[in-house]
Amino acid sequence: MRLPPMPHSREKSSLGRNDKVMLKKPADLSRLTLNWRIVLPVFPICAALIGLSAWYSWNAYKHQNQTLAQTTRSAADIVAQQLQDTMQVAGMLLQTLRSQTARHAMDAASIAEITGEMRLAEADLPQLDNLILFDEQGNLVATSGNSSPAGINVADRGYFVYHRTHAGQRIRINPPLISRISHRWVLPLTIRTDHPDGSFAGVAAVNINFDSLAEFYSRMNLGADSVVDIILEDGTLLMHWPTTDDALGRNFSQSSLFQAVLQEGDQGSRTISSPMDGTVRHFSFRKLDHYPVFVLVGMSVHEAYLSWWRDTIAHAIACIAVAVLISWFSVRLMQQIALRDHVENELFQANQALQNMAMHDGLTGVANRRYFDIALAEKFSLAKRHAYPLATIMFDIDFFKQYNDRYGHQAGDECLKRVARAIGSVAAKRPGDILARYGGEEFVVLLPGADTGGAVMVAERILAAVQSLGIPHTGSPAGIVTLSAGVGAFQAVQETDDPDRLLTQADEALYQAKKDGRNRVCSAADLAAQF
Protein backbone atom coordinates (compact mmCIF):
# COMPACT_ATOMS: atom_id res chain seq x y z
CA MET A 1 0.00 0.00 0.00
CA ARG A 2 1.33 3.39 -0.94
CA LEU A 3 0.67 6.74 0.63
CA PRO A 4 -1.47 9.07 -1.46
CA PRO A 5 0.25 12.10 -2.92
CA MET A 6 0.08 15.36 -1.06
CA PRO A 7 -3.25 17.18 -1.57
CA HIS A 8 -2.89 19.93 -4.16
CA SER A 9 -3.07 23.46 -2.81
CA ARG A 10 -2.21 26.79 -4.41
CA GLU A 11 -1.11 28.02 -1.01
CA LYS A 12 2.61 27.58 -0.49
CA SER A 13 4.00 26.55 2.85
CA SER A 14 6.67 28.73 4.42
CA LEU A 15 8.52 25.51 5.31
CA GLY A 16 10.90 24.21 2.69
CA ARG A 17 11.04 20.76 1.19
CA ASN A 18 14.06 19.94 3.32
CA ASP A 19 12.13 21.07 6.40
CA LYS A 20 14.41 24.06 7.02
CA VAL A 21 13.22 27.45 8.11
CA MET A 22 14.84 29.92 5.69
CA LEU A 23 15.49 33.52 6.57
CA LYS A 24 14.77 36.12 3.95
CA LYS A 25 17.99 36.77 2.01
CA PRO A 26 18.97 40.37 1.19
CA ALA A 27 17.70 41.19 -2.29
CA ASP A 28 20.56 41.14 -4.83
CA LEU A 29 18.31 42.95 -7.29
CA SER A 30 17.90 45.86 -4.89
CA ARG A 31 21.65 46.09 -4.49
CA LEU A 32 22.19 46.02 -8.25
CA THR A 33 19.52 48.71 -8.63
CA LEU A 34 21.27 50.83 -6.02
CA ASN A 35 24.60 50.36 -7.79
CA TRP A 36 23.03 51.44 -11.05
CA ARG A 37 21.54 54.46 -9.33
CA ILE A 38 25.03 55.38 -8.24
CA VAL A 39 26.74 54.60 -11.55
CA LEU A 40 24.19 56.00 -14.01
CA PRO A 41 24.40 59.64 -12.85
CA VAL A 42 28.17 59.50 -13.21
CA PHE A 43 27.91 59.18 -17.00
CA PRO A 44 25.71 62.26 -17.62
CA ILE A 45 27.74 64.27 -15.10
CA CYS A 46 31.02 63.35 -16.82
CA ALA A 47 29.41 63.87 -20.23
CA ALA A 48 28.16 67.30 -19.09
CA LEU A 49 31.64 68.22 -17.86
CA ILE A 50 33.20 67.09 -21.13
CA GLY A 51 30.48 68.85 -23.11
CA LEU A 52 30.92 72.12 -21.20
CA SER A 53 34.68 71.92 -21.59
CA ALA A 54 34.34 71.20 -25.33
CA TRP A 55 31.79 74.01 -25.71
CA TYR A 56 34.06 76.43 -23.88
CA SER A 57 37.11 75.36 -25.91
CA TRP A 58 35.19 75.61 -29.20
CA ASN A 59 33.93 79.09 -28.39
CA ALA A 60 37.39 80.12 -27.25
CA TYR A 61 38.77 78.72 -30.52
CA LYS A 62 36.25 80.67 -32.60
CA HIS A 63 36.99 83.81 -30.61
CA GLN A 64 40.72 83.30 -31.10
CA ASN A 65 40.15 82.71 -34.80
CA GLN A 66 38.17 85.93 -35.06
CA THR A 67 40.79 87.80 -33.07
CA LEU A 68 43.57 86.47 -35.29
CA ALA A 69 41.72 87.46 -38.47
CA GLN A 70 40.83 90.89 -37.09
CA THR A 71 44.37 91.55 -35.82
CA THR A 72 46.04 90.66 -39.11
CA ARG A 73 43.40 92.57 -41.06
CA SER A 74 43.88 95.70 -38.94
CA ALA A 75 47.67 95.36 -39.09
CA ALA A 76 47.57 94.99 -42.88
CA ASP A 77 45.44 98.15 -43.11
CA ILE A 78 47.87 100.09 -40.92
CA VAL A 79 50.97 98.88 -42.78
CA ALA A 80 49.37 99.56 -46.17
CA GLN A 81 48.29 103.04 -45.13
CA GLN A 82 51.70 103.90 -43.71
CA LEU A 83 53.51 102.61 -46.79
CA GLN A 84 51.12 104.38 -49.15
CA ASP A 85 51.59 107.67 -47.29
CA THR A 86 55.35 107.23 -47.46
CA MET A 87 55.29 106.48 -51.18
CA GLN A 88 52.96 109.40 -51.87
CA VAL A 89 55.32 111.79 -50.09
CA ALA A 90 58.28 110.24 -51.89
CA GLY A 91 56.42 110.58 -55.19
CA MET A 92 55.71 114.26 -54.57
CA LEU A 93 59.37 114.86 -53.78
CA LEU A 94 60.44 113.08 -56.95
CA GLN A 95 58.01 115.10 -59.05
CA THR A 96 59.37 118.28 -57.46
CA LEU A 97 62.97 117.32 -58.29
CA ARG A 98 61.97 116.48 -61.85
CA SER A 99 60.22 119.83 -62.28
CA GLN A 100 63.18 121.77 -60.95
CA THR A 101 65.68 120.02 -63.18
CA ALA A 102 63.40 120.56 -66.17
CA ARG A 103 63.22 124.31 -65.52
CA HIS A 104 66.79 125.03 -64.54
CA ALA A 105 70.17 124.15 -65.88
CA MET A 106 72.16 122.05 -63.42
CA ASP A 107 74.81 124.63 -62.51
CA ALA A 108 76.46 124.86 -59.09
CA ALA A 109 73.93 127.35 -57.73
CA SER A 110 70.94 125.27 -58.81
CA ILE A 111 72.47 122.16 -57.35
CA ALA A 112 73.11 123.91 -54.01
CA GLU A 113 69.53 125.17 -53.92
CA ILE A 114 68.09 121.73 -54.67
CA THR A 115 70.34 120.11 -52.07
CA GLY A 116 69.13 122.48 -49.38
CA GLU A 117 65.50 121.81 -50.20
CA MET A 118 66.13 118.06 -50.17
CA ARG A 119 67.65 118.19 -46.70
CA LEU A 120 64.76 120.18 -45.32
CA ALA A 121 62.29 117.67 -46.74
CA GLU A 122 64.14 114.64 -45.38
CA ALA A 123 64.35 116.13 -41.89
CA ASP A 124 60.56 115.80 -41.56
CA LEU A 125 60.45 112.29 -43.06
CA PRO A 126 62.52 109.81 -40.99
CA GLN A 127 61.22 106.89 -43.07
CA LEU A 128 63.20 108.23 -46.05
CA ASP A 129 66.88 107.32 -46.21
CA ASN A 130 68.07 109.77 -48.88
CA LEU A 131 66.84 112.05 -51.63
CA ILE A 132 69.37 111.72 -54.43
CA LEU A 133 69.95 113.30 -57.83
CA PHE A 134 72.13 111.72 -60.48
CA ASP A 135 73.21 113.29 -63.81
CA GLU A 136 72.97 111.75 -67.24
CA GLN A 137 76.25 109.89 -66.67
CA GLY A 138 75.01 108.33 -63.42
CA ASN A 139 77.23 110.48 -61.23
CA LEU A 140 75.98 111.70 -57.86
CA VAL A 141 74.97 115.36 -58.21
CA ALA A 142 73.13 116.08 -54.95
CA THR A 143 71.96 114.20 -51.85
CA SER A 144 70.00 115.10 -48.76
CA GLY A 145 72.67 113.52 -46.60
CA ASN A 146 75.13 115.59 -44.63
CA SER A 147 78.01 114.20 -46.64
CA SER A 148 78.27 113.45 -50.31
CA PRO A 149 80.82 110.69 -50.94
CA ALA A 150 82.91 111.30 -54.00
CA GLY A 151 82.97 108.96 -56.95
CA ILE A 152 79.44 107.56 -56.57
CA ASN A 153 78.15 106.37 -59.91
CA VAL A 154 74.98 104.33 -60.57
CA ALA A 155 75.13 104.00 -64.33
CA ASP A 156 75.14 100.20 -63.88
CA ARG A 157 72.02 100.12 -61.75
CA GLY A 158 68.93 98.65 -63.36
CA TYR A 159 66.74 101.62 -62.59
CA PHE A 160 69.27 104.02 -64.21
CA VAL A 161 69.47 101.91 -67.37
CA TYR A 162 65.67 101.76 -67.49
CA HIS A 163 65.12 105.51 -67.18
CA ARG A 164 67.85 106.33 -69.68
CA THR A 165 66.06 104.25 -72.28
CA HIS A 166 62.47 105.06 -71.30
CA ALA A 167 61.09 108.59 -71.52
CA GLY A 168 58.24 109.75 -69.34
CA GLN A 169 57.50 110.87 -65.84
CA ARG A 170 56.37 107.55 -64.39
CA ILE A 171 57.73 106.79 -60.94
CA ARG A 172 59.39 103.39 -60.81
CA ILE A 173 59.42 101.14 -57.74
CA ASN A 174 62.64 99.17 -57.88
CA PRO A 175 63.81 95.99 -56.17
CA PRO A 176 65.57 96.57 -52.82
CA LEU A 177 69.31 97.10 -52.84
CA ILE A 178 72.18 98.17 -50.62
CA SER A 179 72.70 101.92 -50.96
CA ARG A 180 76.16 103.00 -52.15
CA ILE A 181 75.75 106.13 -50.05
CA SER A 182 74.38 104.81 -46.69
CA HIS A 183 75.54 101.19 -47.21
CA ARG A 184 72.27 99.71 -45.94
CA TRP A 185 69.22 98.11 -47.44
CA VAL A 186 66.83 100.59 -49.02
CA LEU A 187 63.77 100.51 -51.26
CA PRO A 188 64.49 102.99 -54.11
CA LEU A 189 61.74 104.93 -55.87
CA THR A 190 63.07 106.64 -59.01
CA ILE A 191 61.97 109.01 -61.76
CA ARG A 192 63.63 110.24 -64.96
CA THR A 193 64.77 113.87 -65.07
CA ASP A 194 65.07 115.81 -68.34
CA HIS A 195 66.89 118.97 -69.45
CA PRO A 196 64.78 121.94 -70.48
CA ASP A 197 65.16 120.71 -74.04
CA GLY A 198 63.64 117.33 -73.08
CA SER A 199 66.84 115.30 -73.31
CA PHE A 200 67.85 112.82 -70.62
CA ALA A 201 69.27 114.68 -67.63
CA GLY A 202 69.62 111.81 -65.16
CA VAL A 203 67.63 110.14 -62.40
CA ALA A 204 66.08 111.40 -59.15
CA ALA A 205 65.75 108.80 -56.41
CA VAL A 206 64.16 108.53 -53.00
CA ASN A 207 65.34 105.62 -50.82
CA ILE A 208 62.84 104.34 -48.27
CA ASN A 209 64.64 103.40 -45.07
CA PHE A 210 64.19 99.75 -44.12
CA ASP A 211 65.28 100.39 -40.55
CA SER A 212 62.58 103.00 -40.06
CA LEU A 213 59.91 100.65 -41.44
CA ALA A 214 61.19 97.77 -39.31
CA GLU A 215 61.02 99.93 -36.20
CA PHE A 216 57.45 100.89 -37.03
CA TYR A 217 56.45 97.26 -37.52
CA SER A 218 58.14 96.25 -34.26
CA ARG A 219 56.07 98.77 -32.35
CA MET A 220 52.88 97.07 -33.60
CA ASN A 221 53.56 94.05 -31.31
CA LEU A 222 52.31 91.51 -33.79
CA GLY A 223 54.12 88.60 -32.16
CA ALA A 224 57.52 86.98 -32.13
CA ASP A 225 56.82 84.79 -35.17
CA SER A 226 54.87 87.34 -37.23
CA VAL A 227 55.97 88.70 -40.60
CA VAL A 228 55.33 91.69 -42.86
CA ASP A 229 55.95 91.28 -46.59
CA ILE A 230 55.89 93.98 -49.25
CA ILE A 231 55.63 92.48 -52.73
CA LEU A 232 55.35 93.95 -56.20
CA GLU A 233 52.45 92.71 -58.27
CA ASP A 234 54.93 90.72 -60.40
CA GLY A 235 55.91 88.72 -57.28
CA THR A 236 59.18 90.52 -56.48
CA LEU A 237 59.79 90.75 -52.74
CA LEU A 238 60.53 94.36 -51.82
CA MET A 239 60.77 93.92 -48.09
CA HIS A 240 60.46 91.15 -45.51
CA TRP A 241 60.22 91.83 -41.81
CA PRO A 242 62.02 90.57 -39.86
CA THR A 243 64.71 91.18 -42.48
CA THR A 244 65.92 88.20 -44.47
CA ASP A 245 68.64 89.61 -46.76
CA ASP A 246 68.94 86.62 -49.06
CA ALA A 247 65.20 86.74 -49.89
CA LEU A 248 65.02 90.44 -50.80
CA GLY A 249 64.53 91.01 -54.51
CA ARG A 250 63.60 87.39 -55.19
CA ASN A 251 60.56 86.59 -57.24
CA PHE A 252 57.83 84.61 -55.46
CA SER A 253 55.22 84.75 -58.18
CA GLN A 254 54.96 80.93 -58.26
CA SER A 255 54.62 80.50 -54.52
CA SER A 256 51.31 79.25 -53.12
CA LEU A 257 51.09 82.38 -50.97
CA PHE A 258 51.35 84.79 -53.86
CA GLN A 259 48.98 82.69 -55.97
CA ALA A 260 46.47 82.92 -53.09
CA VAL A 261 46.92 86.71 -53.06
CA LEU A 262 46.17 86.91 -56.77
CA GLN A 263 43.08 84.72 -56.37
CA GLU A 264 41.65 86.86 -53.58
CA GLY A 265 42.06 90.16 -55.46
CA ASP A 266 42.98 93.51 -53.95
CA GLN A 267 42.41 92.36 -50.39
CA GLY A 268 41.71 89.16 -48.48
CA SER A 269 43.09 86.63 -46.05
CA ARG A 270 44.34 83.06 -46.14
CA THR A 271 45.89 80.58 -43.71
CA ILE A 272 48.85 79.09 -45.55
CA SER A 273 52.48 78.17 -45.08
CA SER A 274 55.02 80.91 -45.67
CA PRO A 275 57.40 80.42 -48.62
CA MET A 276 60.22 81.89 -46.51
CA ASP A 277 60.37 79.38 -43.65
CA GLY A 278 57.40 77.02 -44.14
CA THR A 279 55.64 78.28 -41.02
CA VAL A 280 51.85 78.14 -41.21
CA ARG A 281 50.53 81.66 -40.74
CA HIS A 282 47.28 83.50 -41.14
CA PHE A 283 47.92 86.23 -43.74
CA SER A 284 45.85 89.31 -44.43
CA PHE A 285 46.83 91.36 -47.45
CA ARG A 286 46.02 94.69 -49.13
CA LYS A 287 46.99 96.23 -52.43
CA LEU A 288 47.99 99.89 -52.30
CA ASP A 289 45.51 102.19 -54.01
CA HIS A 290 47.90 103.90 -56.43
CA TYR A 291 50.89 101.57 -56.57
CA PRO A 292 51.41 98.00 -57.86
CA VAL A 293 52.35 96.81 -54.40
CA PHE A 294 50.82 94.25 -52.04
CA VAL A 295 51.24 94.42 -48.28
CA LEU A 296 50.98 91.10 -46.40
CA VAL A 297 50.83 90.67 -42.63
CA GLY A 298 51.09 87.14 -41.29
CA MET A 299 50.79 85.82 -37.75
CA SER A 300 51.88 82.33 -36.74
CA VAL A 301 48.92 80.03 -36.21
CA HIS A 302 50.86 78.03 -33.62
CA GLU A 303 51.79 81.16 -31.70
CA ALA A 304 48.31 82.63 -31.99
CA TYR A 305 46.65 79.47 -30.68
CA LEU A 306 49.30 78.65 -28.08
CA SER A 307 47.35 80.29 -25.25
CA TRP A 308 44.18 78.60 -26.50
CA TRP A 309 45.93 75.23 -26.47
CA ARG A 310 47.17 75.86 -22.94
CA ASP A 311 43.70 76.81 -21.74
CA THR A 312 42.13 73.85 -23.53
CA ILE A 313 44.63 71.41 -22.04
CA ALA A 314 44.16 72.97 -18.59
CA HIS A 315 40.37 72.67 -18.90
CA ALA A 316 40.68 69.10 -20.20
CA ILE A 317 42.95 68.13 -17.29
CA ALA A 318 40.59 69.77 -14.81
CA CYS A 319 37.60 68.06 -16.45
CA ILE A 320 39.34 64.67 -16.39
CA ALA A 321 40.40 65.22 -12.79
CA VAL A 322 36.83 66.01 -11.73
CA ALA A 323 35.48 63.04 -13.71
CA VAL A 324 38.09 60.75 -12.14
CA LEU A 325 37.28 62.13 -8.69
CA ILE A 326 33.54 61.58 -9.21
CA SER A 327 34.21 58.08 -10.57
CA TRP A 328 36.53 57.33 -7.64
CA PHE A 329 33.89 58.42 -5.14
CA SER A 330 31.30 56.32 -6.98
CA VAL A 331 33.58 53.28 -6.96
CA ARG A 332 34.36 53.81 -3.28
CA LEU A 333 30.66 54.12 -2.51
CA MET A 334 29.91 50.92 -4.41
CA GLN A 335 32.78 49.20 -2.60
CA GLN A 336 31.32 50.30 0.72
CA ILE A 337 27.92 49.03 -0.37
CA ALA A 338 29.49 45.75 -1.49
CA LEU A 339 31.31 45.51 1.85
CA ARG A 340 28.06 46.20 3.67
CA ASP A 341 26.31 43.55 1.55
CA HIS A 342 29.12 41.11 2.28
CA VAL A 343 28.76 41.71 5.99
CA GLU A 344 24.98 41.44 5.71
CA ASN A 345 25.34 38.19 3.77
CA GLU A 346 27.68 36.77 6.39
CA LEU A 347 25.23 37.83 9.10
CA PHE A 348 22.42 36.31 7.07
CA GLN A 349 24.27 33.03 6.72
CA ALA A 350 25.18 33.08 10.40
CA ASN A 351 21.57 33.82 11.36
CA GLN A 352 20.39 31.11 9.01
CA ALA A 353 22.80 28.68 10.59
CA LEU A 354 21.59 29.71 14.03
CA GLN A 355 18.01 29.41 12.88
CA ASN A 356 18.66 25.94 11.47
CA MET A 357 20.41 25.01 14.70
CA ALA A 358 17.44 26.30 16.63
CA MET A 359 15.05 24.29 14.44
CA HIS A 360 17.08 21.06 14.12
CA ASP A 361 18.41 18.51 16.47
CA GLY A 362 22.15 18.86 16.81
CA LEU A 363 22.77 15.16 17.31
CA THR A 364 20.62 13.46 14.67
CA GLY A 365 20.29 16.34 12.18
CA VAL A 366 16.52 15.97 11.89
CA ALA A 367 14.03 18.67 12.91
CA ASN A 368 13.57 19.32 16.62
CA ARG A 369 10.50 19.69 18.83
CA ARG A 370 10.29 23.45 18.23
CA TYR A 371 10.27 23.03 14.46
CA PHE A 372 7.75 20.22 14.69
CA ASP A 373 5.36 22.37 16.72
CA ILE A 374 5.54 25.15 14.11
CA ALA A 375 5.08 22.68 11.25
CA LEU A 376 2.19 20.91 12.96
CA ALA A 377 0.33 24.19 13.45
CA GLU A 378 0.79 25.14 9.81
CA LYS A 379 -0.03 21.72 8.35
CA PHE A 380 -3.04 21.39 10.62
CA SER A 381 -4.33 24.80 9.51
CA LEU A 382 -3.99 23.83 5.85
CA ALA A 383 -5.66 20.47 6.41
CA LYS A 384 -8.53 22.16 8.25
CA ARG A 385 -8.94 24.74 5.48
CA HIS A 386 -9.09 22.09 2.74
CA ALA A 387 -10.60 19.25 4.81
CA TYR A 388 -8.03 16.60 3.97
CA PRO A 389 -6.57 13.89 6.25
CA LEU A 390 -3.65 14.41 8.60
CA ALA A 391 -1.73 11.72 10.53
CA THR A 392 1.15 11.64 12.96
CA ILE A 393 3.30 8.75 14.21
CA MET A 394 5.17 8.82 17.51
CA PHE A 395 8.13 6.43 17.98
CA ASP A 396 10.00 5.39 21.08
CA ILE A 397 13.18 3.29 21.16
CA ASP A 398 12.46 0.24 23.29
CA PHE A 399 14.47 -0.11 26.48
CA PHE A 400 16.76 2.81 25.54
CA LYS A 401 17.70 3.57 29.16
CA GLN A 402 19.01 0.04 29.54
CA TYR A 403 20.91 0.53 26.24
CA ASN A 404 22.67 3.62 27.61
CA ASP A 405 23.42 1.88 30.89
CA ARG A 406 24.83 -1.17 29.10
CA TYR A 407 26.74 0.46 26.19
CA GLY A 408 27.35 4.02 27.37
CA HIS A 409 26.07 7.39 26.24
CA GLN A 410 28.36 7.61 23.19
CA ALA A 411 26.95 4.38 21.88
CA GLY A 412 23.52 5.68 22.76
CA ASP A 413 24.11 8.81 20.69
CA GLU A 414 25.28 6.71 17.77
CA CYS A 415 22.20 4.53 18.14
CA LEU A 416 19.95 7.61 18.01
CA LYS A 417 21.62 8.83 14.82
CA ARG A 418 21.30 5.44 13.10
CA VAL A 419 17.66 5.13 14.11
CA ALA A 420 16.96 8.68 12.84
CA ARG A 421 18.50 7.81 9.49
CA ALA A 422 16.49 4.61 9.25
CA ILE A 423 13.24 6.46 10.00
CA GLY A 424 14.15 9.14 7.47
CA SER A 425 14.84 6.51 4.80
CA VAL A 426 11.18 5.52 4.95
CA ALA A 427 9.30 8.61 6.15
CA ALA A 428 9.47 12.17 4.82
CA LYS A 429 9.56 10.98 1.22
CA ARG A 430 6.85 13.34 0.03
CA PRO A 431 7.01 17.14 0.05
CA GLY A 432 5.43 18.22 3.32
CA ASP A 433 6.24 15.06 5.31
CA ILE A 434 8.19 15.91 8.44
CA LEU A 435 10.47 13.88 10.68
CA ALA A 436 11.47 15.34 14.06
CA ARG A 437 13.12 14.25 17.26
CA TYR A 438 10.43 14.80 19.83
CA GLY A 439 12.61 14.38 22.90
CA GLY A 440 15.10 11.90 24.31
CA GLU A 441 14.60 8.62 22.47
CA GLU A 442 11.28 9.69 20.96
CA PHE A 443 10.74 10.61 17.29
CA VAL A 444 7.64 11.87 15.51
CA VAL A 445 6.56 11.82 11.86
CA LEU A 446 3.88 14.13 10.42
CA LEU A 447 2.09 12.88 7.31
CA PRO A 448 -0.27 15.42 5.66
CA GLY A 449 -2.93 13.71 3.53
CA ALA A 450 -2.43 10.30 5.14
CA ASP A 451 -5.24 8.43 6.85
CA THR A 452 -4.89 5.84 9.62
CA GLY A 453 -4.18 2.96 7.26
CA GLY A 454 -1.50 4.79 5.37
CA ALA A 455 0.16 5.98 8.57
CA VAL A 456 0.14 2.43 10.04
CA MET A 457 1.75 1.15 6.86
CA VAL A 458 4.51 3.75 7.14
CA ALA A 459 5.03 2.98 10.82
CA GLU A 460 5.39 -0.78 10.15
CA ARG A 461 7.94 -0.14 7.38
CA ILE A 462 9.90 2.11 9.75
CA LEU A 463 9.92 -0.58 12.47
CA ALA A 464 11.19 -3.09 9.90
CA ALA A 465 13.89 -0.67 8.74
CA VAL A 466 15.17 -0.20 12.31
CA GLN A 467 15.12 -3.95 12.99
CA SER A 468 17.13 -4.52 9.80
CA LEU A 469 19.93 -2.41 11.28
CA GLY A 470 20.58 -5.23 13.73
CA ILE A 471 21.95 -2.96 16.42
CA PRO A 472 22.79 -5.32 19.36
CA HIS A 473 20.81 -4.66 22.56
CA THR A 474 21.20 -7.31 25.26
CA GLY A 475 18.81 -5.40 27.46
CA SER A 476 15.93 -6.01 25.05
CA PRO A 477 14.04 -9.30 24.73
CA ALA A 478 14.52 -9.03 20.96
CA GLY A 479 18.29 -8.83 21.37
CA ILE A 480 18.43 -5.84 18.99
CA VAL A 481 17.24 -2.25 19.01
CA THR A 482 13.52 -2.00 18.17
CA LEU A 483 10.83 0.68 18.10
CA SER A 484 7.31 1.07 19.37
CA ALA A 485 4.94 3.29 17.40
CA GLY A 486 1.65 5.05 18.02
CA VAL A 487 -0.50 6.41 15.20
CA GLY A 488 -3.00 9.25 15.48
CA ALA A 489 -5.01 10.45 12.48
CA PHE A 490 -7.95 12.59 11.39
CA GLN A 491 -9.73 11.26 8.34
CA ALA A 492 -10.71 14.85 7.44
CA VAL A 493 -9.70 17.64 9.70
CA GLN A 494 -12.72 19.57 10.91
CA GLU A 495 -13.13 23.03 12.34
CA THR A 496 -13.61 21.56 15.83
CA ASP A 497 -10.35 19.56 15.68
CA ASP A 498 -7.10 20.80 17.14
CA PRO A 499 -3.47 19.57 16.82
CA ASP A 500 -3.09 18.71 20.50
CA ARG A 501 -5.77 16.03 20.17
CA LEU A 502 -3.87 14.53 17.24
CA LEU A 503 -0.73 14.31 19.35
CA THR A 504 -2.71 12.94 22.26
CA GLN A 505 -4.09 10.16 20.05
CA ALA A 506 -0.58 9.23 18.87
CA ASP A 507 0.83 9.38 22.40
CA GLU A 508 -1.93 7.20 23.83
CA ALA A 509 -1.47 4.71 20.99
CA LEU A 510 2.27 4.62 21.65
CA TYR A 511 1.63 3.98 25.32
CA GLN A 512 -0.65 1.10 24.39
CA ALA A 513 1.97 -0.36 22.00
CA LYS A 514 4.56 -0.35 24.76
CA LYS A 515 2.03 -1.84 27.18
CA ASP A 516 1.26 -4.59 24.69
CA GLY A 517 4.89 -5.68 24.62
CA ARG A 518 6.75 -3.15 22.52
CA ASN A 519 8.19 -3.58 19.01
CA ARG A 520 4.80 -3.04 17.49
CA VAL A 521 2.45 -0.41 15.99
CA CYS A 522 -0.78 0.68 17.65
CA SER A 523 -3.21 3.26 16.28
CA ALA A 524 -5.87 5.42 17.86
CA ALA A 525 -8.38 3.45 15.78
CA ASP A 526 -7.21 0.22 17.49
CA LEU A 527 -7.76 1.81 20.88
CA ALA A 528 -11.25 2.92 19.87
CA ALA A 529 -12.06 -0.61 18.71
CA GLN A 530 -11.00 -2.05 22.08
CA PHE A 531 -13.39 0.16 23.91
Side-chain angles (χ1 to χ4, degrees), residues 63-332:
H63 176 73
Q64 187 63 35
N65 198 28
Q66 293 171 357
T67 301
L68 177 62
Q70 183 176 356
T71 300
T72 55
R73 188 162 51 244
S74 299
D77 289 339
I78 293 171
V79 170
Q81 188 62 52
Q82 190 261 0
L83 183 61
Q84 175 140 328
D85 292 345
T86 299
M87 288 187 169
Q88 284 180 342
V89 171
M92 288 188 293
L93 292 173
L94 290 176
Q95 292 291 354
T96 300
L97 289 177
R98 173 181 168 81
S99 298
Q100 289 179 349
T101 56
R103 289 196 304 268
H104 306 288
M106 286 295 99
D107 53 19
S110 297
I111 292 173
E113 181 182 354
I114 291 174
T115 300
E117 292 176 356
M118 291 168 61
R119 287 174 180 171
L120 289 174
E122 185 188 14
D124 296 330
L125 299 168
Q127 64 269 38
L128 302 182
D129 182 72
N130 265 315
L131 284 76
I132 311 167
L133 187 62
F134 300 100
D135 63 16
E136 64 270 20
Q137 301 300 321
N139 296 315
L140 177 63
V141 173
T143 177
S144 62
N146 293 325
S147 61
S148 300
I152 299 297
N153 186 278
V154 294
D156 58 332
R157 294 288 199 188
Y159 62 81
F160 189 86
V161 174
Y162 175 84
H163 287 301
R164 186 172 57 192
T165 57
H166 291 76
Q169 56 179 0
R170 175 175 173 271
I171 296 175
R172 176 181 171 86
I173 302 173
N174 301 279
L177 49 79
I178 297 176
S179 172
R180 290 175 180 173
I181 298 175
S182 63
H183 304 291
R184 55 190 175 190
W185 282 98
V186 295
L187 178 62
L189 275 65
T190 58
I191 194 171
R192 173 186 169 118
T193 60
D194 294 326
H195 291 295
D197 60 1
S199 60
F200 178 63
V203 174
V206 175
N207 291 334
I208 296 177
N209 186 353
F210 274 19
D211 293 340
S212 177
L213 294 179
E215 182 181 356
F216 176 77
Y217 301 152
S218 298
R219 290 198 303 268
M220 294 176 67
N221 296 320
L222 297 174
D225 206 15
S226 299
V227 297
V228 176
D229 291 327
I230 301 173
I231 305 177
L232 279 174
E233 64 180 2
D234 65 354
T236 301
L237 180 66
L238 300 180
M239 181 180 178
H240 177 77
W241 176 85
T243 304
T244 304
D245 294 350
D246 59 349
L248 296 178
R250 284 174 51 190
N251 189 282
F252 289 92
S253 60
Q254 300 304 314
S255 68
S256 57
L257 173 60
F258 190 74
Q259 292 298 318
V261 170
L262 295 180
Q263 290 174 9
E264 293 290 339
D266 291 345
Q267 62 180 8
S269 61
R270 185 72 65 90
T271 299
I272 197 169
S273 60
S274 173
M276 305 294 179
D277 53 12
T279 301
V280 177
R281 293 184 174 92
H282 183 80
F283 285 92
S284 288
F285 45 87
R286 298 288 183 273
K287 184 180 180 183
L288 302 190
D289 291 339
H290 306 294
Y291 300 95
V293 176
F294 286 96
V295 169
L296 292 80
V297 176
M299 296 181 66
S300 169
V301 171
H302 172 74
E303 183 180 4
Y305 288 103
L306 186 60
S307 61
W308 175 81
W309 272 112
R310 289 172 179 167
D311 289 345
T312 298
I313 292 173
H315 278 89
I317 291 174
C319 181
I320 292 171
V322 172
V324 168
L325 190 62
I326 293 174
S327 301
W328 181 81
F329 274 119
S330 301
V331 170
R332 288 293 298 165

Side-chain angles (χ1 to χ4, degrees), residues 18-20 356 358-362 364-372 375 434-439 442-444:
N18 294 325
D19 305 330
K20 294 182 180 179
N356 287 333
M359 293 294 183
H360 287 74
D361 178 58
T364 62
V366 300
N368 61 14
R369 172 73 174 270
R370 179 184 177 190
Y371 180 85
F372 179 79
I434 295 171
L435 164 63
R437 184 181 177 188
Y438 200 67
E442 290 184 341
F443 294 88
V444 62

Side-chain angles (χ1 to χ4, degrees), residues 336-347:
Q336 291 299 317
I337 293 173
L339 179 60
R340 184 201 66 185
D341 290 344
H342 177 69
V343 173
E344 286 182 353
N345 189 53
E346 288 186 342
L347 288 174

